[in-house]
Amino acid sequence: MLPKDPVMLLSYINTQLRDFYPSLEALGKGLDVDVEEIKKKLSEIDYEYEESSNQFK
């Protein structure tokens, strides 16, 4: 289950991307989560996925 708090979600997702997944799409498949929902939630705190660094900034 993903954290509901956007700041906690940011930390969790970036850690997962850094340690286990080569892309946001791979994370979505691996964790069976909707990446568009993650993008939407993190955009609320002004973070967007940066493919070149594989993290939300």
Side-chain angles (χ1 to χ4, degrees):
M1 178 174 230
L2 295 176
K4 295 195 183 305
D5 177 74
V7 176
M8 294 299 292
L9 179 63
L10 171 67
S11 176
Y12 177 77
I13 294 296
N14 275 344
T15 299
Q16 292 295 304
L17 289 169
R18 181 191 70 216
D19 294 347
F20 303 110
Y21 298 100
S23 68
L24 186 59
E25 292 73 27
L27 178 143
K29 289 178 184 174
L31 297 179
D32 193 29
V33 294
D34 182 358
V35 295
E36 292 305 316
E37 203 51 45
I38 293 171
K39 287 181 179 180
K40 181 180 174 189
K41 188 80 167 174
L42 294 181
S43 74
E44 293 172 4
I45 58 169
D46 298 321
Y47 279 82
E48 294 196 13
Y49 181 66
E50 188 176 278
E51 192 171 343
S52 63
S53 63
N54 191 35
Q55 65 181 332
F56 280 86
K57 291 185 169 186

